[in-house]
């Protein structure tokens, strides 16, 4: 295997390891601070911080695709509302009454549920 093909493979494995680590870390942090910070505040500030960090990298692409984004603005808004805002808010509300382990286990089932629902609804 050449070094050119091993680098993307290494990056892929790194991403596969870091993704669940970040999700689990999110559950642990949520559980540890839920008594100090209200769930909706956690969700809001999480996305403000993420936007602040990612905006410089993503804004040029968003600007280039502004026409497509404008055409699909309602769909994008619906997806953002349910998949980002509601999901994280519900996760942080769950942290009030359950353990970080339970939150992480529920999060781990999401890809399976998405595939199952896609199969049931879309064939």
């Amino acid at each position: 295997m050449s070094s050119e093909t091993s680098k993307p493979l290494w990056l892929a494995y790194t991403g596969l390891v870091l993704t669940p680590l970040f999700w689990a870390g999110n559950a642990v942090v949520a559980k540890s601070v839920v008594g100090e910070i209200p769930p909706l505040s956690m969700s809001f500030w999480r996305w403000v911080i993420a936007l602040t960090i990612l905006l410089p990298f993503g804004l040029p692409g968003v600007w280039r695709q502004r026409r497509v984004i404008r055409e699909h603005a309602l769909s994008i808004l619906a997806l953002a509302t349910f998949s980002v805002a509601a999901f994280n808010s519900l996760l942080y509300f769950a942290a009030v009454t359950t353990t970080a382990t339970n939150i992480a286990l529920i999060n781990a089932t999401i890809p399976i549920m998405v595939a199952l629902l896609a199969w049931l609804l879309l064939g």
Side-chain angles (χ1 to χ4, degrees), residues 14-71:
T14 301
L16 288 171
V17 170
L18 290 178
T19 301
L21 182 66
F22 289 146
W23 280 107
N26 184 38
V28 171
V29 169
K31 185 61 183 174
S32 65
V33 302
V34 75
E36 305 297 321
I37 304 170
L40 286 178
S41 294
M42 274 194 287
S43 185
F44 174 80
W45 286 110
R46 176 186 182 194
W47 289 110
V48 166
I49 293 168
L51 179 67
T52 303
I53 293 169
L54 295 176
L55 192 60
F57 303 104
L59 193 57
V62 170
W63 182 254
R64 281 191 304 274
Q65 299 295 325
R66 65 188 177 275
R67 189 177 72 233
V68 175
I69 292 170
R70 196 176 306 118
E71 289 174 15

Side-chain angles (χ1 to χ4, degrees), residues 27-28 31 91 94-95 97-110:
V28 171
K31 185 61 183 174
L91 180 139
T97 59
T98 192
T99 65
T101 302
N102 286 341
I103 294 169
L105 288 172
I106 300 260
N107 274 343
T109 64
I110 290 172

Side-chain angles (χ1 to χ4, degrees), residues 68-70 72-81:
V68 175
I69 292 170
R70 196 176 306 118
H72 301 287
L74 287 176
S75 297
I76 293 170
L77 179 63
L79 287 170
T81 300

